[in-house]
Amino acid sequence: MKNNRTTLLSAFAIGFALASISLSSPLTAKAQGTPLEAHADILIQHDVPMKTRDGVTLYADIYRPKSSDKFPVILMRTPYDKSVNWAVSPVYKMVPRGYVVIIQDVRGRYTSEGEWYPFRHEQADGFDTVEWVAALPYSNGKVGMMGASYVGATQMLAAIAQPPHLTAIAPNMTASNYHDGWTYQSGAFEQWFDQNWTSQLAGNTLQRLISENTNALVGTPTLPLANYPVFNFGQLPADAQLTTAIAPYYSDWLAHPDYDDYWKKWSIEENFSKIAVPMLQVGGWYDIFNVGTLRNYVGAKTHGANEAARAKQHLLIEIGGHAGFGRRIGDVDFGPHSLENVYTDVILNWYDFLFKGIQNEFATDKPVKLFVMGANEYRQEDDWPPPQAQSTKYFLHSTGKANSLRGDGSLSVAPPKAEPVDSYVYNPANPVPTVGGPLCCDAEHMEPGPRDQRSVENRDDVLVYSTGPLSRDLEVTGPVTATLFVRSSAVDTDFTAKLVDVAPDGFAQDLTEGILRMRYRDSPEHARLMNPGQIYEISLDLWATSNVFLRGHTLRLEISSSNFPRFDRNLNTGEEIKFARTFVSATNAILHDAQHPSALVLPVMPAK
């Protein structure tokens, strides 16, 4: 998507729809905000200032009913420009329903002052903003929040700060831990997302730098005229130096591959006991942060600060999330029911229930709603994970020739006996390419969502294990793991796995996937290299899904050692990823015999 200026494609900026982040100059801040505007029955005021506890001014746009009454407030705090259409469009449905809607640029973004650094200021600034909006003359003191992705992070971080007037939140597609499940996954660097997001964020930072250092008077004495300096900050550094100058957080992420204090100070998972408000968590099976959505629901329900928080957690899992919206996501049409549960309507119903006592879909003893793929319909559940799901092992089998679709790898509930090992050569110079899946944030260059995996499965460095056509429907709903016995010729390597639903025509639909960097096999906090040739038992987290493998379909597991560029390539040397550049090939192996019963572990729902 492009406008008449430079734009950045930003699926990450989804609040309610995909949007592009414009690099237009920051607006000039007004001392008291702009004069009130009237639109139908809505009063609008732009750039209303709020001073934080440390003296930085943040600016918000306020939309409220034309009335002298007081109303509950729905707050959005965003780094993606408070004036873009996806942020503003829900206002015209929410305000007529009796809500004040306030959209604020977070610190260091667009109209707001200060230095931008992800996550660093969101607890304090979130606390201050909630208390500020609660005291506005048209607020009744009840404050809820909304928004997706990083806009969901601003909600979670505000909630653990416990502002007294925060009454509820509704995070959409956001994480529970900004190390694992955001920047890294099981030790591997989320390269496509991390670099893509950094480049998008850096655009506004660079524009602010240009705006602050543009004064033609500075250059007027310069002769010859051909040497006139367009900007006044001197020569911009190039390439990596520019990255460090305007996006220092990217270098910090690389410098902290371990789960250390850098990450723990703003981890939601470390602070579930501080969650004191009801939450509606919204996610998607193909969303890049879906594991965080599920962890937030379980964590707050189990460890919340009070009974209200523990008892009033709700969960809605849709299909695409950051991977897309609508009926068709990726290569799959999910049917008419996929169009249900429009986010704005869901948010309004959530706050109508909590703030106004309206008995709607949230007045239920089934707090979980899931889209079940295959059946292609929504279903209410008592909890997550569904307690009736039965953990079932599908063991890996082969004659040592499971390489690619041409191999003889199989899955069955029968344990293995004496079987040879499956092995392959993982060459970081020729990694297995990413094909679809939970990607963000540039669908033009990396198509997300369910995609046909046969091009990947035809590689000899991918092990393929299949059940064969099923004789009856099989529903899998819940967390998915692979318990594997592995060895490698390297001191460090990765193992990847992917759960696939194969249709009778051969279309291989990816459902969920995972990775494990072996140096973090024991702990995300402490790296430990392998002994080449030693056998290790690992648990590879494939996150979760809900899918009916229909009669005639095949259940499949892929195993390899790369998924690039979604994840950075493990170079197999054990070097720090920030500086590693030498490739070493590794011979990696999966054992599956009586002593080493490697298995795919699935949550199988009872047959209807």
Side-chain angles (χ1 to χ4, degrees), residues 156-199:
M156 297 299 301
L157 290 163
I160 66 175
Q162 296 186 332
H165 288 90
L166 184 64
T167 310
I169 60 175
N172 184 12
M173 302 179 300
T174 200
S176 61
N177 183 315
Y178 306 115
H179 175 262
D180 185 68
W182 188 291
T183 311
Y184 290 83
Q185 182 176 325
S186 298
F189 191 62
E190 280 267 10
Q191 183 172 347
W192 174 250
F193 166 67
D194 293 336
Q195 294 179 341
N196 198 312
W197 189 44
T198 297
S199 293

Short mmCIF file of all heavy atoms in Angstrom, two decimals, residues 156-199:
data_model
loop_
_atom_site.label_atom_id
_atom_site.label_comp_id
_atom_site.label_asym_id
_atom_site.label_seq_id
_atom_site.Cartn_x
_atom_site.Cartn_y
_atom_site.Cartn_z
N MET A 156 -1.73 -4.73 28.43
CA MET A 156 -1.22 -5.69 29.40
C MET A 156 -0.26 -5.01 30.38
O MET A 156 -0.30 -5.27 31.59
CB MET A 156 -0.53 -6.85 28.69
CG MET A 156 -1.43 -7.69 27.79
SD MET A 156 -2.81 -8.48 28.66
CE MET A 156 -1.95 -9.49 29.86
N LEU A 157 0.61 -4.15 29.85
CA LEU A 157 1.59 -3.49 30.72
C LEU A 157 0.92 -2.47 31.63
O LEU A 157 1.33 -2.30 32.79
CB LEU A 157 2.67 -2.85 29.86
CG LEU A 157 3.60 -3.87 29.18
CD1 LEU A 157 4.38 -3.24 28.03
CD2 LEU A 157 4.55 -4.50 30.19
N ALA A 158 -0.13 -1.82 31.15
CA ALA A 158 -0.89 -0.92 32.02
C ALA A 158 -1.58 -1.71 33.12
O ALA A 158 -1.63 -1.28 34.28
CB ALA A 158 -1.91 -0.13 31.21
N ALA A 159 -2.12 -2.88 32.77
CA ALA A 159 -2.85 -3.67 33.76
C ALA A 159 -1.96 -4.12 34.91
O ALA A 159 -2.38 -4.10 36.07
CB ALA A 159 -3.50 -4.88 33.09
N ILE A 160 -0.71 -4.51 34.62
CA ILE A 160 0.16 -4.96 35.72
C ILE A 160 0.63 -3.78 36.56
O ILE A 160 1.07 -3.97 37.69
CB ILE A 160 1.34 -5.80 35.21
CG1 ILE A 160 2.31 -5.00 34.36
CG2 ILE A 160 0.85 -7.04 34.46
CD1 ILE A 160 3.54 -5.79 33.95
N ALA A 161 0.50 -2.55 36.04
CA ALA A 161 0.79 -1.36 36.85
C ALA A 161 -0.36 -1.01 37.79
O ALA A 161 -0.18 -0.20 38.70
CB ALA A 161 1.09 -0.17 35.95
N GLN A 162 -1.52 -1.58 37.57
CA GLN A 162 -2.69 -1.47 38.44
C GLN A 162 -3.17 -0.02 38.68
O GLN A 162 -3.34 0.41 39.83
CB GLN A 162 -2.43 -2.14 39.79
CG GLN A 162 -2.20 -3.63 39.70
CD GLN A 162 -2.08 -4.29 41.06
OE1 GLN A 162 -1.67 -3.67 42.04
NE2 GLN A 162 -2.44 -5.57 41.13
N PRO A 163 -3.45 0.75 37.62
CA PRO A 163 -4.09 2.06 37.85
C PRO A 163 -5.47 1.84 38.47
O PRO A 163 -6.23 0.97 38.03
CB PRO A 163 -4.18 2.65 36.44
CG PRO A 163 -4.05 1.49 35.51
CD PRO A 163 -3.22 0.47 36.20
N PRO A 164 -5.85 2.59 39.49
CA PRO A 164 -7.10 2.33 40.22
C PRO A 164 -8.36 2.37 39.37
O PRO A 164 -9.33 1.67 39.67
CB PRO A 164 -7.12 3.45 41.27
CG PRO A 164 -5.69 3.81 41.47
CD PRO A 164 -5.04 3.65 40.13
N HIS A 165 -8.38 3.18 38.30
CA HIS A 165 -9.60 3.33 37.51
C HIS A 165 -9.63 2.44 36.28
O HIS A 165 -10.59 2.51 35.50
CB HIS A 165 -9.79 4.79 37.11
CG HIS A 165 -10.18 5.67 38.25
ND1 HIS A 165 -9.24 6.32 39.04
CD2 HIS A 165 -11.40 5.98 38.78
CE1 HIS A 165 -9.87 7.01 39.98
NE2 HIS A 165 -11.17 6.83 39.85
N LEU A 166 -8.61 1.60 36.09
CA LEU A 166 -8.69 0.63 34.99
C LEU A 166 -9.65 -0.46 35.40
O LEU A 166 -9.45 -1.17 36.39
CB LEU A 166 -7.31 0.04 34.69
CG LEU A 166 -7.27 -0.91 33.49
CD1 LEU A 166 -7.63 -0.17 32.19
CD2 LEU A 166 -5.89 -1.55 33.35
N THR A 167 -10.72 -0.62 34.61
CA THR A 167 -11.80 -1.53 34.99
C THR A 167 -11.77 -2.83 34.21
O THR A 167 -12.21 -3.87 34.71
CB THR A 167 -13.15 -0.82 34.76
OG1 THR A 167 -13.11 0.48 35.39
CG2 THR A 167 -14.30 -1.61 35.35
N ALA A 168 -11.26 -2.81 32.99
CA ALA A 168 -11.17 -4.01 32.17
C ALA A 168 -10.31 -3.70 30.95
O ALA A 168 -10.10 -2.53 30.60
CB ALA A 168 -12.54 -4.49 31.72
N ILE A 169 -9.81 -4.75 30.29
CA ILE A 169 -9.06 -4.58 29.06
C ILE A 169 -9.49 -5.64 28.05
O ILE A 169 -10.14 -6.63 28.42
CB ILE A 169 -7.52 -4.64 29.28
CG1 ILE A 169 -7.09 -5.98 29.86
CG2 ILE A 169 -7.06 -3.49 30.17
CD1 ILE A 169 -5.57 -6.12 29.98
N ALA A 170 -9.10 -5.42 26.78
CA ALA A 170 -9.46 -6.36 25.71
C ALA A 170 -8.31 -6.47 24.73
O ALA A 170 -8.39 -5.99 23.59
CB ALA A 170 -10.74 -5.88 25.01
N PRO A 171 -7.21 -7.11 25.14
CA PRO A 171 -6.05 -7.22 24.25
C PRO A 171 -6.32 -8.17 23.09
O PRO A 171 -6.83 -9.29 23.28
CB PRO A 171 -4.95 -7.77 25.17
CG PRO A 171 -5.49 -7.66 26.56
CD PRO A 171 -6.97 -7.72 26.44
N ASN A 172 -5.96 -7.76 21.91
CA ASN A 172 -6.16 -8.54 20.70
C ASN A 172 -4.80 -8.89 20.11
O ASN A 172 -3.98 -8.00 19.88
CB ASN A 172 -6.99 -7.72 19.71
CG ASN A 172 -7.34 -8.48 18.44
OD1 ASN A 172 -7.15 -9.69 18.36
ND2 ASN A 172 -7.83 -7.76 17.45
N MET A 173 -4.54 -10.17 19.91
CA MET A 173 -3.33 -10.63 19.22
C MET A 173 -2.07 -10.04 19.84
O MET A 173 -1.34 -9.30 19.20
CB MET A 173 -3.39 -10.25 17.73
CG MET A 173 -4.59 -10.80 17.00
SD MET A 173 -4.65 -10.31 15.26
CE MET A 173 -4.71 -8.53 15.36
N THR A 174 -1.81 -10.38 21.08
CA THR A 174 -0.62 -9.84 21.73
C THR A 174 0.04 -10.90 22.59
O THR A 174 -0.52 -11.98 22.81
CB THR A 174 -0.99 -8.59 22.55
OG1 THR A 174 0.19 -7.82 22.79
CG2 THR A 174 -1.66 -8.95 23.86
N ALA A 175 1.22 -10.62 23.07
CA ALA A 175 2.07 -11.62 23.71
C ALA A 175 1.98 -11.58 25.22
O ALA A 175 1.44 -10.64 25.82
CB ALA A 175 3.52 -11.42 23.27
N SER A 176 2.55 -12.60 25.84
CA SER A 176 2.64 -12.67 27.29
C SER A 176 4.07 -12.50 27.77
O SER A 176 4.32 -12.39 28.97
CB SER A 176 2.11 -14.03 27.78
OG SER A 176 2.88 -15.08 27.23
N ASN A 177 5.01 -12.48 26.82
CA ASN A 177 6.42 -12.43 27.15
C ASN A 177 7.11 -11.86 25.92
O ASN A 177 6.99 -12.43 24.84
CB ASN A 177 6.93 -13.84 27.48
CG ASN A 177 8.37 -13.87 27.92
OD1 ASN A 177 9.23 -13.24 27.31
ND2 ASN A 177 8.66 -14.64 28.95
N TYR A 178 7.85 -10.77 26.07
CA TYR A 178 8.41 -10.11 24.90
C TYR A 178 9.77 -10.68 24.51
O TYR A 178 10.37 -10.25 23.53
CB TYR A 178 8.44 -8.61 25.13
CG TYR A 178 7.07 -8.12 25.51
CD1 TYR A 178 6.79 -7.59 26.77
CD2 TYR A 178 6.00 -8.30 24.62
CE1 TYR A 178 5.50 -7.21 27.12
CE2 TYR A 178 4.72 -7.92 24.97
CZ TYR A 178 4.47 -7.38 26.22
OH TYR A 178 3.18 -7.03 26.56
N HIS A 179 10.21 -11.70 25.25
CA HIS A 179 11.35 -12.49 24.82
C HIS A 179 10.85 -13.69 24.05
O HIS A 179 10.96 -13.75 22.82
CB HIS A 179 12.18 -12.95 26.03
CG HIS A 179 13.31 -13.86 25.70
ND1 HIS A 179 13.22 -15.23 25.82
CD2 HIS A 179 14.57 -13.61 25.23
CE1 HIS A 179 14.36 -15.79 25.46
NE2 HIS A 179 15.20 -14.83 25.08
N ASP A 180 10.24 -14.65 24.73
CA ASP A 180 9.73 -15.86 24.07
C ASP A 180 8.30 -15.63 23.61
O ASP A 180 7.41 -15.37 24.41
CB ASP A 180 9.78 -17.05 25.03
CG ASP A 180 9.38 -18.34 24.35
OD1 ASP A 180 10.15 -18.80 23.49
OD2 ASP A 180 8.30 -18.87 24.65
N GLY A 181 8.09 -15.71 22.30
CA GLY A 181 6.77 -15.47 21.75
C GLY A 181 6.62 -14.10 21.15
O GLY A 181 5.52 -13.72 20.72
N TRP A 182 7.71 -13.33 21.12
CA TRP A 182 7.71 -12.02 20.44
C TRP A 182 9.03 -11.85 19.68
O TRP A 182 9.07 -11.90 18.46
CB TRP A 182 7.50 -10.88 21.43
CG TRP A 182 7.30 -9.52 20.80
CD1 TRP A 182 8.22 -8.77 20.12
CD2 TRP A 182 6.08 -8.75 20.79
NE1 TRP A 182 7.66 -7.59 19.71
CE2 TRP A 182 6.36 -7.54 20.09
CE3 TRP A 182 4.80 -8.94 21.30
CZ2 TRP A 182 5.39 -6.55 19.89
CZ3 TRP A 182 3.84 -7.95 21.11
CH2 TRP A 182 4.14 -6.77 20.42
N THR A 183 10.13 -11.69 20.41
CA THR A 183 11.42 -11.46 19.77
C THR A 183 12.14 -12.76 19.45
O THR A 183 12.85 -12.87 18.44
CB THR A 183 12.30 -10.59 20.68
OG1 THR A 183 11.55 -9.45 21.10
CG2 THR A 183 13.56 -10.14 19.97
N TYR A 184 11.98 -13.73 20.32
CA TYR A 184 12.55 -15.07 20.13
C TYR A 184 11.42 -16.10 20.25
O TYR A 184 10.33 -15.79 20.74
CB TYR A 184 13.62 -15.36 21.19
CG TYR A 184 14.89 -14.56 21.04
CD1 TYR A 184 14.99 -13.26 21.55
CD2 TYR A 184 15.99 -15.09 20.38
CE1 TYR A 184 16.15 -12.52 21.40
CE2 TYR A 184 17.17 -14.37 20.24
CZ TYR A 184 17.24 -13.08 20.75
OH TYR A 184 18.40 -12.35 20.60
N GLN A 185 11.71 -17.31 19.80
CA GLN A 185 10.82 -18.43 20.06
C GLN A 185 11.69 -19.64 20.39
O GLN A 185 12.45 -20.11 19.55
CB GLN A 185 9.91 -18.75 18.89
CG GLN A 185 8.94 -19.89 19.19
CD GLN A 185 7.96 -20.16 18.06
OE1 GLN A 185 7.54 -19.24 17.37
NE2 GLN A 185 7.59 -21.41 17.87
N SER A 186 11.58 -20.10 21.62
CA SER A 186 12.37 -21.25 22.09
C SER A 186 13.83 -21.11 21.73
O SER A 186 14.51 -22.06 21.32
CB SER A 186 11.79 -22.55 21.53
OG SER A 186 10.46 -22.75 21.99
N GLY A 187 14.34 -19.88 21.86
CA GLY A 187 15.76 -19.60 21.64
C GLY A 187 16.10 -19.10 20.26
O GLY A 187 17.18 -18.53 20.07
N ALA A 188 15.24 -19.31 19.26
CA ALA A 188 15.52 -18.86 17.90
C ALA A 188 15.00 -17.43 17.72
O ALA A 188 13.94 -17.06 18.23
CB ALA A 188 14.86 -19.79 16.89
N PHE A 189 15.74 -16.64 16.99
CA PHE A 189 15.41 -15.24 16.74
C PHE A 189 14.30 -15.16 15.69
O PHE A 189 14.41 -15.76 14.61
CB PHE A 189 16.67 -14.51 16.25
CG PHE A 189 16.56 -13.01 16.20
CD1 PHE A 189 16.34 -12.28 17.35
CD2 PHE A 189 16.75 -12.34 15.00
CE1 PHE A 189 16.28 -10.89 17.31
CE2 PHE A 189 16.70 -10.95 14.95
CZ PHE A 189 16.46 -10.22 16.11
N GLU A 190 13.21 -14.45 16.00
CA GLU A 190 12.11 -14.26 15.05
C GLU A 190 12.55 -13.24 14.00
O GLU A 190 12.10 -12.09 13.99
CB GLU A 190 10.86 -13.78 15.78
CG GLU A 190 10.08 -14.86 16.47
CD GLU A 190 8.97 -15.44 15.59
OE1 GLU A 190 8.94 -15.12 14.38
OE2 GLU A 190 8.16 -16.21 16.13
N GLN A 191 13.41 -13.67 13.07
CA GLN A 191 14.12 -12.73 12.22
C GLN A 191 13.20 -11.92 11.31
O GLN A 191 13.33 -10.69 11.22
CB GLN A 191 15.16 -13.46 11.37
CG GLN A 191 16.00 -12.53 10.51
CD GLN A 191 17.14 -13.22 9.81
OE1 GLN A 191 17.48 -14.36 10.14
NE2 GLN A 191 17.76 -12.57 8.85
N TRP A 192 12.27 -12.57 10.63
CA TRP A 192 11.42 -11.83 9.69
C TRP A 192 10.61 -10.77 10.42
O TRP A 192 10.57 -9.61 9.99
CB TRP A 192 10.49 -12.80 8.96
CG TRP A 192 9.48 -12.11 8.09
CD1 TRP A 192 8.14 -12.05 8.29
CD2 TRP A 192 9.74 -11.37 6.89
NE1 TRP A 192 7.53 -11.31 7.29
CE2 TRP A 192 8.49 -10.89 6.42
CE3 TRP A 192 10.89 -11.05 6.17
CZ2 TRP A 192 8.38 -10.12 5.26
CZ3 TRP A 192 10.77 -10.28 5.02
CH2 TRP A 192 9.53 -9.83 4.58
N PHE A 193 9.99 -11.12 11.51
CA PHE A 193 9.20 -10.15 12.26
C PHE A 193 10.09 -9.07 12.88
O PHE A 193 9.81 -7.88 12.76
CB PHE A 193 8.38 -10.83 13.34
CG PHE A 193 7.82 -9.85 14.34
CD1 PHE A 193 6.86 -8.94 13.97
CD2 PHE A 193 8.29 -9.82 15.65
CE1 PHE A 193 6.36 -8.01 14.87
CE2 PHE A 193 7.79 -8.90 16.56
CZ PHE A 193 6.83 -7.99 16.17
N ASP A 194 11.16 -9.47 13.57
CA ASP A 194 11.99 -8.51 14.30
C ASP A 194 12.57 -7.46 13.36
O ASP A 194 12.58 -6.26 13.66
CB ASP A 194 13.12 -9.23 15.02
CG ASP A 194 12.62 -10.13 16.15
OD1 ASP A 194 11.52 -9.86 16.67
OD2 ASP A 194 13.32 -11.09 16.50
N GLN A 195 13.08 -7.89 12.22
CA GLN A 195 13.69 -6.95 11.30
C GLN A 195 12.63 -6.12 10.58
O GLN A 195 12.79 -4.91 10.38
CB GLN A 195 14.59 -7.69 10.32
CG GLN A 195 15.79 -8.32 11.01
CD GLN A 195 16.70 -9.08 10.07
OE1 GLN A 195 16.31 -9.46 8.96
NE2 GLN A 195 17.93 -9.35 10.50
N ASN A 196 11.53 -6.76 10.20
CA ASN A 196 10.45 -6.06 9.53
C ASN A 196 9.86 -4.98 10.43
O ASN A 196 9.67 -3.82 10.01
CB ASN A 196 9.38 -7.09 9.14
CG ASN A 196 8.44 -6.60 8.09
OD1 ASN A 196 7.91 -5.51 8.18
ND2 ASN A 196 8.20 -7.42 7.08
N TRP A 197 9.54 -5.36 11.66
CA TRP A 197 8.94 -4.41 12.60
C TRP A 197 9.90 -3.25 12.89
O TRP A 197 9.50 -2.08 12.94
CB TRP A 197 8.55 -5.14 13.89
CG TRP A 197 7.73 -4.32 14.84
CD1 TRP A 197 6.68 -3.50 14.54
CD2 TRP A 197 7.90 -4.24 16.26
NE1 TRP A 197 6.16 -2.92 15.69
CE2 TRP A 197 6.90 -3.36 16.76
CE3 TRP A 197 8.77 -4.85 17.16
CZ2 TRP A 197 6.77 -3.07 18.11
CZ3 TRP A 197 8.64 -4.56 18.50
CH2 TRP A 197 7.66 -3.68 18.97
N THR A 198 11.18 -3.57 13.09
CA THR A 198 12.16 -2.53 13.35
C THR A 198 12.22 -1.52 12.22
O THR A 198 12.24 -0.31 12.44
CB THR A 198 13.55 -3.16 13.58
OG1 THR A 198 13.52 -4.00 14.73
CG2 THR A 198 14.62 -2.10 13.77
N SER A 199 12.24 -2.01 10.98
CA SER A 199 12.30 -1.10 9.84
C SER A 199 11.07 -0.21 9.78
O SER A 199 11.17 0.99 9.47
CB SER A 199 12.42 -1.90 8.53
OG SER A 199 13.67 -2.57 8.47
#
